[in-house]
Amino acid sequence: MGKMSIEQLRESVRGAVTTPDDYGYDQSRTVHNAMIDKRPAAVVHCVNAGDVMAAVAFARENDIDLAVRGGGHSVPGFGTCDGGVVADLSGMRGVRVDPGRRTARAEGGATWGDFNAATHAFGLATTGGIISTTGVGGLTLGGGIGYLARGLGLSCDNLVSADVVTADGRLLVASEEEHDDLFWALRGGGGNFGAVTSFEYRLGPVKDIYGGPILYEVEDAATVLRSFADYIADAPEELGGFPAFQLAPPLPFIPEDRHGDPFILIVACWAGPLDEGPRALQAFHDFAPVVAEHVGPMPYPALNSAFDALVPPGLQHYWKANFVTELTDAAIEAHVRYGPRLPAVNSTVHIYPVNGACHRVAPDATAYAYRDASFATVIAGMWPDPTANEANIAWVRDYYEATAPHSEEGGYINFMADDDQSRIKANYKTNYDRLVEVKRTYDPGNLFHLNQNIKP
């Protein structure tokens, strides 16, 4: 295969290299989205930064595609490719906490479950999504929205430094002090600039939270959405969570005769003093009559993993996303029209508040540009049956087209599908030209192009 053979690749790495002739190949090439069925020439199961450097060199010298896989949750399937090489970081999952400095360093293949388990022992956390099997890498590089964002900022706002393998094979440290242009781009610019082998985060004092899901009838959806938008605008920043549409799963706190029914719900997360939790969530109980709830004190990692069962590996995925500056009456009308039509219990719509600490970062301070957005909406189509793809994709697209006129032009890149490449410039607004310059500096040949791509 060109300048470097598979045999030479095997000899240059500590981890295993899986090819189509090897046992376990099908498992090695599989990603979270079962809609993606690609056949790489080799999967490098990296165990250290040297292995990542070797995989990058192999792709570069053979002029083939390079996919970098962390948690493997990329909806467009950017963690695999046809005929190229996959640098699979899922064996690099170590997390080391420095409680004195309130920092933690996570390897590039760590999940938020790995991260939270390590930091929770010290009563610390940082913003990290809502599904614990998500990789820290992909989430952070795209921005990083989660329960703690209003109080602590986005995941990328808490990034202190990153170890990065660049296209020319170097391992660089990116921080405010070193390669600050690269550090700026990594915070929201996605996987365009290199393979990150470790992330160092700033932590906040979060151990146990008060929260959980609160379900309302869909007939009250407009009232709940309007009330939530009004309340969260200046609510205490320790209060996180989001409104959502969901078919009721068969959980014991939901009346059995309502399993499978559509609901509007709020998933709440109060990260302040536990004894203030009931008072902090009282407003949510006043919005509309509550049908069912599972609210109380719990470890933060428990809430971060509470919905994992709804998003197992092997589902079909198709998502759309928009930023929203104001949740207008017209936008709410569109949500009320399409939200209750959820086609599968796995599918959902979340409307994440991204104000508070997120707004205190200047729009040009990081690559993540939408610092004026109040909400990030995701229409997440997820379903098990591939024969139902057409109907489920149609629901996502129809929903998106109904809400797009009432939203910003750009959206959160971590929530986008593979047919959203035309929105790249809009996603970064005035930061786009600067991102192109950083791309030209660190990846002029666009080796790292399996992403929401910024072309050099």
Side-chain angles (χ1 to χ4, degrees), residues 76-112:
F78 291 141
T80 190
C81 57
D82 279 322
V85 62
V86 175
D88 183 355
L89 277 60
S90 62
M92 300 171 58
R93 295 175 62 168
V95 180
R96 179 171 57 83
V97 181
D98 185 336
R101 294 180 59 233
R102 284 190 176 179
T103 61
R105 181 171 292 279
E107 291 185 300
T111 67
W112 286 105

PDB file of all heavy atoms in Angstrom, residues 76-112:
ATOM      1  N   PRO A  76     -22.560  11.287  11.543  1.00  0.00           N
ATOM      2  CA  PRO A  76     -22.199  11.029  10.146  1.00  0.00           C
ATOM      3  C   PRO A  76     -21.221   9.870   9.963  1.00  0.00           C
ATOM      4  O   PRO A  76     -20.862   9.544   8.834  1.00  0.00           O
ATOM      5  CB  PRO A  76     -21.545  12.352   9.708  1.00  0.00           C
ATOM      6  CG  PRO A  76     -21.933  13.354  10.731  1.00  0.00           C
ATOM      7  CD  PRO A  76     -22.084  12.599  11.998  1.00  0.00           C
ATOM      8  N   GLY A  77     -20.758   9.276  11.062  1.00  0.00           N
ATOM      9  CA  GLY A  77     -19.846   8.152  10.962  1.00  0.00           C
ATOM     10  C   GLY A  77     -18.427   8.547  10.632  1.00  0.00           C
ATOM     11  O   GLY A  77     -17.703   7.802   9.956  1.00  0.00           O
ATOM     12  N   PHE A  78     -17.986   9.703  11.132  1.00  0.00           N
ATOM     13  CA  PHE A  78     -16.636  10.176  10.826  1.00  0.00           C
ATOM     14  C   PHE A  78     -15.552   9.310  11.472  1.00  0.00           C
ATOM     15  O   PHE A  78     -14.373   9.473  11.172  1.00  0.00           O
ATOM     16  CB  PHE A  78     -16.469  11.627  11.278  1.00  0.00           C
ATOM     17  CG  PHE A  78     -17.276  12.613  10.482  1.00  0.00           C
ATOM     18  CD1 PHE A  78     -17.900  13.683  11.110  1.00  0.00           C
ATOM     19  CD2 PHE A  78     -17.420  12.482   9.112  1.00  0.00           C
ATOM     20  CE1 PHE A  78     -18.639  14.608  10.386  1.00  0.00           C
ATOM     21  CE2 PHE A  78     -18.162  13.400   8.381  1.00  0.00           C
ATOM     22  CZ  PHE A  78     -18.781  14.468   9.025  1.00  0.00           C
ATOM     23  N   GLY A  79     -15.930   8.382  12.337  1.00  0.00           N
ATOM     24  CA  GLY A  79     -14.959   7.514  12.989  1.00  0.00           C
ATOM     25  C   GLY A  79     -14.571   6.286  12.185  1.00  0.00           C
ATOM     26  O   GLY A  79     -13.884   5.398  12.702  1.00  0.00           O
ATOM     27  N   THR A  80     -14.997   6.217  10.930  1.00  0.00           N
ATOM     28  CA  THR A  80     -14.590   5.109  10.068  1.00  0.00           C
ATOM     29  C   THR A  80     -14.545   5.603   8.624  1.00  0.00           C
ATOM     30  O   THR A  80     -14.899   6.760   8.345  1.00  0.00           O
ATOM     31  CB  THR A  80     -15.537   3.899  10.221  1.00  0.00           C
ATOM     32  OG1 THR A  80     -14.983   2.774   9.538  1.00  0.00           O
ATOM     33  CG2 THR A  80     -16.923   4.206   9.696  1.00  0.00           C
ATOM     34  N   CYS A  81     -14.103   4.757   7.710  1.00  0.00           N
ATOM     35  CA  CYS A  81     -13.960   5.185   6.319  1.00  0.00           C
ATOM     36  C   CYS A  81     -13.831   3.957   5.424  1.00  0.00           C
ATOM     37  O   CYS A  81     -13.607   2.842   5.906  1.00  0.00           O
ATOM     38  CB  CYS A  81     -12.730   6.080   6.151  1.00  0.00           C
ATOM     39  SG  CYS A  81     -11.169   5.329   6.669  1.00  0.00           S
ATOM     40  N   ASP A  82     -13.953   4.168   4.146  1.00  0.00           N
ATOM     41  CA  ASP A  82     -13.741   3.112   3.150  1.00  0.00           C
ATOM     42  C   ASP A  82     -12.322   3.183   2.627  1.00  0.00           C
ATOM     43  O   ASP A  82     -11.869   4.229   2.141  1.00  0.00           O
ATOM     44  CB  ASP A  82     -14.719   3.265   1.977  1.00  0.00           C
ATOM     45  CG  ASP A  82     -16.095   2.691   2.274  1.00  0.00           C
ATOM     46  OD1 ASP A  82     -16.159   1.639   2.945  1.00  0.00           O
ATOM     47  OD2 ASP A  82     -17.094   3.296   1.840  1.00  0.00           O
ATOM     48  N   GLY A  83     -11.587   2.080   2.735  1.00  0.00           N
ATOM     49  CA  GLY A  83     -10.277   1.979   2.117  1.00  0.00           C
ATOM     50  C   GLY A  83      -9.150   2.720   2.790  1.00  0.00           C
ATOM     51  O   GLY A  83      -8.006   2.666   2.323  1.00  0.00           O
ATOM     52  N   GLY A  84      -9.424   3.393   3.881  1.00  0.00           N
ATOM     53  CA  GLY A  84      -8.397   4.156   4.571  1.00  0.00           C
ATOM     54  C   GLY A  84      -7.984   3.500   5.879  1.00  0.00           C
ATOM     55  O   GLY A  84      -8.126   2.289   6.055  1.00  0.00           O
ATOM     56  N   VAL A  85      -7.448   4.312   6.774  1.00  0.00           N
ATOM     57  CA  VAL A  85      -7.012   3.811   8.073  1.00  0.00           C
ATOM     58  C   VAL A  85      -7.796   4.514   9.170  1.00  0.00           C
ATOM     59  O   VAL A  85      -8.077   5.716   9.080  1.00  0.00           O
ATOM     60  CB  VAL A  85      -5.490   4.015   8.269  1.00  0.00           C
ATOM     61  CG1 VAL A  85      -5.106   5.491   8.242  1.00  0.00           C
ATOM     62  CG2 VAL A  85      -5.020   3.382   9.572  1.00  0.00           C
ATOM     63  N   VAL A  86      -8.166   3.743  10.183  1.00  0.00           N
ATOM     64  CA  VAL A  86      -8.855   4.276  11.356  1.00  0.00           C
ATOM     65  C   VAL A  86      -7.881   4.281  12.533  1.00  0.00           C
ATOM     66  O   VAL A  86      -7.322   3.239  12.875  1.00  0.00           O
ATOM     67  CB  VAL A  86     -10.097   3.435  11.716  1.00  0.00           C
ATOM     68  CG1 VAL A  86     -10.731   3.941  13.012  1.00  0.00           C
ATOM     69  CG2 VAL A  86     -11.110   3.464  10.580  1.00  0.00           C
ATOM     70  N   ALA A  87      -7.680   5.451  13.122  1.00  0.00           N
ATOM     71  CA  ALA A  87      -6.945   5.546  14.378  1.00  0.00           C
ATOM     72  C   ALA A  87      -7.976   5.446  15.495  1.00  0.00           C
ATOM     73  O   ALA A  87      -8.671   6.415  15.806  1.00  0.00           O
ATOM     74  CB  ALA A  87      -6.181   6.859  14.463  1.00  0.00           C
ATOM     75  N   ASP A  88      -8.119   4.242  16.044  1.00  0.00           N
ATOM     76  CA  ASP A  88      -9.133   3.967  17.064  1.00  0.00           C
ATOM     77  C   ASP A  88      -8.520   4.224  18.436  1.00  0.00           C
ATOM     78  O   ASP A  88      -7.668   3.472  18.907  1.00  0.00           O
ATOM     79  CB  ASP A  88      -9.599   2.520  16.935  1.00  0.00           C
ATOM     80  CG  ASP A  88     -10.704   2.165  17.916  1.00  0.00           C
ATOM     81  OD1 ASP A  88     -11.047   3.015  18.768  1.00  0.00           O
ATOM     82  OD2 ASP A  88     -11.223   1.031  17.849  1.00  0.00           O
ATOM     83  N   LEU A  89      -8.974   5.291  19.088  1.00  0.00           N
ATOM     84  CA  LEU A  89      -8.431   5.688  20.376  1.00  0.00           C
ATOM     85  C   LEU A  89      -9.192   5.080  21.556  1.00  0.00           C
ATOM     86  O   LEU A  89      -8.906   5.408  22.709  1.00  0.00           O
ATOM     87  CB  LEU A  89      -8.441   7.217  20.515  1.00  0.00           C
ATOM     88  CG  LEU A  89      -7.279   7.997  19.893  1.00  0.00           C
ATOM     89  CD1 LEU A  89      -7.191   7.780  18.399  1.00  0.00           C
ATOM     90  CD2 LEU A  89      -7.395   9.479  20.207  1.00  0.00           C
ATOM     91  N   SER A  90     -10.146   4.178  21.282  1.00  0.00           N
ATOM     92  CA  SER A  90     -11.014   3.695  22.357  1.00  0.00           C
ATOM     93  C   SER A  90     -10.272   2.882  23.412  1.00  0.00           C
ATOM     94  O   SER A  90     -10.806   2.641  24.497  1.00  0.00           O
ATOM     95  CB  SER A  90     -12.160   2.865  21.777  1.00  0.00           C
ATOM     96  OG  SER A  90     -11.669   1.715  21.103  1.00  0.00           O
ATOM     97  N   GLY A  91      -9.030   2.470  23.125  1.00  0.00           N
ATOM     98  CA  GLY A  91      -8.224   1.802  24.138  1.00  0.00           C
ATOM     99  C   GLY A  91      -7.460   2.766  25.013  1.00  0.00           C
ATOM    100  O   GLY A  91      -6.800   2.347  25.981  1.00  0.00           O
ATOM    101  N   MET A  92      -7.551   4.060  24.721  1.00  0.00           N
ATOM    102  CA  MET A  92      -6.860   5.095  25.496  1.00  0.00           C
ATOM    103  C   MET A  92      -7.904   5.842  26.325  1.00  0.00           C
ATOM    104  O   MET A  92      -8.426   6.864  25.913  1.00  0.00           O
ATOM    105  CB  MET A  92      -6.121   6.051  24.552  1.00  0.00           C
ATOM    106  CG  MET A  92      -5.078   5.367  23.684  1.00  0.00           C
ATOM    107  SD  MET A  92      -4.401   6.454  22.386  1.00  0.00           S
ATOM    108  CE  MET A  92      -3.730   7.814  23.356  1.00  0.00           C
ATOM    109  N   ARG A  93      -8.212   5.302  27.511  1.00  0.00           N
ATOM    110  CA  ARG A  93      -9.346   5.817  28.278  1.00  0.00           C
ATOM    111  C   ARG A  93      -8.971   6.262  29.689  1.00  0.00           C
ATOM    112  O   ARG A  93      -9.837   6.491  30.527  1.00  0.00           O
ATOM    113  CB  ARG A  93     -10.445   4.753  28.340  1.00  0.00           C
ATOM    114  CG  ARG A  93     -11.036   4.441  26.979  1.00  0.00           C
ATOM    115  CD  ARG A  93     -12.036   3.319  26.996  1.00  0.00           C
ATOM    116  NE  ARG A  93     -13.198   3.577  27.814  1.00  0.00           N
ATOM    117  CZ  ARG A  93     -14.301   2.831  27.794  1.00  0.00           C
ATOM    118  NH1 ARG A  93     -14.364   1.784  26.981  1.00  0.00           N
ATOM    119  NH2 ARG A  93     -15.311   3.119  28.573  1.00  0.00           N
ATOM    120  N   GLY A  94      -7.693   6.412  29.943  1.00  0.00           N
ATOM    121  CA  GLY A  94      -7.275   6.806  31.275  1.00  0.00           C
ATOM    122  C   GLY A  94      -7.677   8.240  31.615  1.00  0.00           C
ATOM    123  O   GLY A  94      -7.710   9.114  30.758  1.00  0.00           O
ATOM    124  N   VAL A  95      -7.989   8.471  32.898  1.00  0.00           N
ATOM    125  CA  VAL A  95      -8.311   9.802  33.405  1.00  0.00           C
ATOM    126  C   VAL A  95      -7.539  10.003  34.702  1.00  0.00           C
ATOM    127  O   VAL A  95      -7.642   9.183  35.616  1.00  0.00           O
ATOM    128  CB  VAL A  95      -9.822   9.981  33.668  1.00  0.00           C
ATOM    129  CG1 VAL A  95     -10.114  11.396  34.191  1.00  0.00           C
ATOM    130  CG2 VAL A  95     -10.636   9.696  32.408  1.00  0.00           C
ATOM    131  N   ARG A  96      -6.769  11.077  34.778  1.00  0.00           N
ATOM    132  CA  ARG A  96      -5.999  11.367  35.986  1.00  0.00           C
ATOM    133  C   ARG A  96      -6.454  12.704  36.554  1.00  0.00           C
ATOM    134  O   ARG A  96      -6.418  13.728  35.861  1.00  0.00           O
ATOM    135  CB  ARG A  96      -4.499  11.406  35.676  1.00  0.00           C
ATOM    136  CG  ARG A  96      -3.626  11.721  36.885  1.00  0.00           C
ATOM    137  CD  ARG A  96      -2.149  11.535  36.559  1.00  0.00           C
ATOM    138  NE  ARG A  96      -1.723  12.355  35.432  1.00  0.00           N
ATOM    139  CZ  ARG A  96      -1.365  13.640  35.531  1.00  0.00           C
ATOM    140  NH1 ARG A  96      -1.416  14.250  36.688  1.00  0.00           N
ATOM    141  NH2 ARG A  96      -0.966  14.292  34.459  1.00  0.00           N
ATOM    142  N   VAL A  97      -6.870  12.704  37.807  1.00  0.00           N
ATOM    143  CA  VAL A  97      -7.401  13.895  38.462  1.00  0.00           C
ATOM    144  C   VAL A  97      -6.337  14.503  39.372  1.00  0.00           C
ATOM    145  O   VAL A  97      -5.663  13.784  40.113  1.00  0.00           O
ATOM    146  CB  VAL A  97      -8.666  13.550  39.284  1.00  0.00           C
ATOM    147  CG1 VAL A  97      -9.244  14.803  39.944  1.00  0.00           C
ATOM    148  CG2 VAL A  97      -9.710  12.878  38.405  1.00  0.00           C
ATOM    149  N   ASP A  98      -6.199  15.822  39.303  1.00  0.00           N
ATOM    150  CA  ASP A  98      -5.363  16.564  40.239  1.00  0.00           C
ATOM    151  C   ASP A  98      -6.311  17.402  41.103  1.00  0.00           C
ATOM    152  O   ASP A  98      -6.696  18.516  40.719  1.00  0.00           O
ATOM    153  CB  ASP A  98      -4.386  17.473  39.486  1.00  0.00           C
ATOM    154  CG  ASP A  98      -3.409  18.191  40.405  1.00  0.00           C
ATOM    155  OD1 ASP A  98      -3.736  18.376  41.605  1.00  0.00           O
ATOM    156  OD2 ASP A  98      -2.324  18.574  39.951  1.00  0.00           O
ATOM    157  N   PRO A  99      -6.739  16.871  42.257  1.00  0.00           N
ATOM    158  CA  PRO A  99      -7.739  17.588  43.057  1.00  0.00           C
ATOM    159  C   PRO A  99      -7.236  18.914  43.597  1.00  0.00           C
ATOM    160  O   PRO A  99      -8.026  19.846  43.802  1.00  0.00           O
ATOM    161  CB  PRO A  99      -8.056  16.607  44.184  1.00  0.00           C
ATOM    162  CG  PRO A  99      -6.882  15.695  44.262  1.00  0.00           C
ATOM    163  CD  PRO A  99      -6.345  15.592  42.877  1.00  0.00           C
ATOM    164  N   GLY A 100      -5.928  19.034  43.823  1.00  0.00           N
ATOM    165  CA  GLY A 100      -5.390  20.288  44.328  1.00  0.00           C
ATOM    166  C   GLY A 100      -5.532  21.415  43.319  1.00  0.00           C
ATOM    167  O   GLY A 100      -5.897  22.549  43.679  1.00  0.00           O
ATOM    168  N   ARG A 101      -5.251  21.123  42.067  1.00  0.00           N
ATOM    169  CA  ARG A 101      -5.364  22.120  41.003  1.00  0.00           C
ATOM    170  C   ARG A 101      -6.768  22.172  40.403  1.00  0.00           C
ATOM    171  O   ARG A 101      -7.070  23.044  39.588  1.00  0.00           O
ATOM    172  CB  ARG A 101      -4.357  21.818  39.880  1.00  0.00           C
ATOM    173  CG  ARG A 101      -2.905  21.969  40.290  1.00  0.00           C
ATOM    174  CD  ARG A 101      -1.970  21.646  39.110  1.00  0.00           C
ATOM    175  NE  ARG A 101      -2.232  22.524  37.968  1.00  0.00           N
ATOM    176  CZ  ARG A 101      -2.483  22.091  36.747  1.00  0.00           C
ATOM    177  NH1 ARG A 101      -2.530  20.774  36.482  1.00  0.00           N
ATOM    178  NH2 ARG A 101      -2.694  22.928  35.749  1.00  0.00           N
ATOM    179  N   ARG A 102      -7.611  21.216  40.788  1.00  0.00           N
ATOM    180  CA  ARG A 102      -8.955  21.082  40.213  1.00  0.00           C
ATOM    181  C   ARG A 102      -8.881  20.957  38.694  1.00  0.00           C
ATOM    182  O   ARG A 102      -9.543  21.681  37.938  1.00  0.00           O
ATOM    183  CB  ARG A 102      -9.858  22.251  40.612  1.00  0.00           C
ATOM    184  CG  ARG A 102     -10.360  22.174  42.039  1.00  0.00           C
ATOM    185  CD  ARG A 102     -11.429  23.219  42.297  1.00  0.00           C
ATOM    186  NE  ARG A 102     -11.989  23.106  43.625  1.00  0.00           N
ATOM    187  CZ  ARG A 102     -12.935  23.901  44.121  1.00  0.00           C
ATOM    188  NH1 ARG A 102     -13.427  24.868  43.356  1.00  0.00           N
ATOM    189  NH2 ARG A 102     -13.398  23.729  45.346  1.00  0.00           N
ATOM    190  N   THR A 103      -8.048  20.004  38.269  1.00  0.00           N
ATOM    191  CA  THR A 103      -7.947  19.692  36.849  1.00  0.00           C
ATOM    192  C   THR A 103      -7.995  18.179  36.677  1.00  0.00           C
ATOM    193  O   THR A 103      -7.771  17.422  37.625  1.00  0.00           O
ATOM    194  CB  THR A 103      -6.647  20.225  36.223  1.00  0.00           C
ATOM    195  OG1 THR A 103      -5.528  19.610  36.871  1.00  0.00           O
ATOM    196  CG2 THR A 103      -6.550  21.729  36.328  1.00  0.00           C
ATOM    197  N   ALA A 104      -8.274  17.749  35.465  1.00  0.00           N
ATOM    198  CA  ALA A 104      -8.233  16.327  35.124  1.00  0.00           C
ATOM    199  C   ALA A 104      -7.728  16.193  33.705  1.00  0.00           C
ATOM    200  O   ALA A 104      -8.076  17.009  32.825  1.00  0.00           O
ATOM    201  CB  ALA A 104      -9.608  15.681  35.246  1.00  0.00           C
ATOM    202  N   ARG A 105      -6.911  15.191  33.472  1.00  0.00           N
ATOM    203  CA  ARG A 105      -6.412  14.905  32.127  1.00  0.00           C
ATOM    204  C   ARG A 105      -7.001  13.586  31.662  1.00  0.00           C
ATOM    205  O   ARG A 105      -6.861  12.565  32.332  1.00  0.00           O
ATOM    206  CB  ARG A 105      -4.894  14.843  32.096  1.00  0.00           C
ATOM    207  CG  ARG A 105      -4.338  14.573  30.691  1.00  0.00           C
ATOM    208  CD  ARG A 105      -2.839  14.725  30.630  1.00  0.00           C
ATOM    209  NE  ARG A 105      -2.426  16.107  30.804  1.00  0.00           N
ATOM    210  CZ  ARG A 105      -2.443  17.026  29.832  1.00  0.00           C
ATOM    211  NH1 ARG A 105      -2.892  16.700  28.616  1.00  0.00           N
ATOM    212  NH2 ARG A 105      -2.033  18.254  30.054  1.00  0.00           N
ATOM    213  N   ALA A 106      -7.684  13.624  30.527  1.00  0.00           N
ATOM    214  CA  ALA A 106      -8.332  12.438  29.975  1.00  0.00           C
ATOM    215  C   ALA A 106      -7.686  12.075  28.647  1.00  0.00           C
ATOM    216  O   ALA A 106      -7.435  12.941  27.803  1.00  0.00           O
ATOM    217  CB  ALA A 106      -9.819  12.693  29.765  1.00  0.00           C
ATOM    218  N   GLU A 107      -7.423  10.789  28.448  1.00  0.00           N
ATOM    219  CA  GLU A 107      -6.906  10.340  27.165  1.00  0.00           C
ATOM    220  C   GLU A 107      -7.987  10.463  26.091  1.00  0.00           C
ATOM    221  O   GLU A 107      -9.183  10.517  26.384  1.00  0.00           O
ATOM    222  CB  GLU A 107      -6.408   8.907  27.271  1.00  0.00           C
ATOM    223  CG  GLU A 107      -5.163   8.760  28.114  1.00  0.00           C
ATOM    224  CD  GLU A 107      -4.620   7.349  28.092  1.00  0.00           C
ATOM    225  OE1 GLU A 107      -5.351   6.420  28.496  1.00  0.00           O
ATOM    226  OE2 GLU A 107      -3.463   7.164  27.675  1.00  0.00           O
ATOM    227  N   GLY A 108      -7.542  10.468  24.845  1.00  0.00           N
ATOM    228  CA  GLY A 108      -8.417  10.804  23.736  1.00  0.00           C
ATOM    229  C   GLY A 108      -9.566   9.854  23.483  1.00  0.00           C
ATOM    230  O   GLY A 108     -10.535  10.219  22.815  1.00  0.00           O
ATOM    231  N   GLY A 109      -9.489   8.622  24.004  1.00  0.00           N
ATOM    232  CA  GLY A 109     -10.579   7.678  23.807  1.00  0.00           C
ATOM    233  C   GLY A 109     -11.514   7.551  24.993  1.00  0.00           C
ATOM    234  O   GLY A 109     -12.444   6.747  24.970  1.00  0.00           O
ATOM    235  N   ALA A 110     -11.303   8.364  26.028  1.00  0.00           N
ATOM    236  CA  ALA A 110     -12.148   8.297  27.228  1.00  0.00           C
ATOM    237  C   ALA A 110     -13.571   8.729  26.906  1.00  0.00           C
ATOM    238  O   ALA A 110     -13.805   9.589  26.047  1.00  0.00           O
ATOM    239  CB  ALA A 110     -11.564   9.174  28.331  1.00  0.00           C
ATOM    240  N   THR A 111     -14.514   8.144  27.609  1.00  0.00           N
ATOM    241  CA  THR A 111     -15.912   8.567  27.528  1.00  0.00           C
ATOM    242  C   THR A 111     -16.227   9.453  28.726  1.00  0.00           C
ATOM    243  O   THR A 111     -15.468   9.516  29.699  1.00  0.00           O
ATOM    244  CB  THR A 111     -16.860   7.368  27.526  1.00  0.00           C
ATOM    245  OG1 THR A 111     -16.782   6.718  28.813  1.00  0.00           O
ATOM    246  CG2 THR A 111     -16.512   6.378  26.424  1.00  0.00           C
ATOM    247  N   TRP A 112     -17.373  10.100  28.663  1.00  0.00           N
ATOM    248  CA  TRP A 112     -17.767  10.919  29.811  1.00  0.00           C
ATOM    249  C   TRP A 112     -18.078  10.059  31.028  1.00  0.00           C
ATOM    250  O   TRP A 112     -17.934  10.514  32.167  1.00  0.00           O
ATOM    251  CB  TRP A 112     -18.933  11.828  29.449  1.00  0.00           C
ATOM    252  CG  TRP A 112     -18.465  12.936  28.583  1.00  0.00           C
ATOM    253  CD1 TRP A 112     -18.656  13.085  27.241  1.00  0.00           C
ATOM    254  CD2 TRP A 112     -17.631  14.026  28.986  1.00  0.00           C
ATOM    255  NE1 TRP A 112     -18.002  14.208  26.783  1.00  0.00           N
ATOM    256  CE2 TRP A 112     -17.376  14.806  27.833  1.00  0.00           C
ATOM    257  CE3 TRP A 112     -17.085  14.426  30.207  1.00  0.00           C
ATOM    258  CZ2 TRP A 112     -16.591  15.964  27.871  1.00  0.00           C
ATOM    259  CZ3 TRP A 112     -16.309  15.578  30.248  1.00  0.00           C
ATOM    260  CH2 TRP A 112     -16.067  16.328  29.094  1.00  0.00           C
TER     261      TRP A 112
END
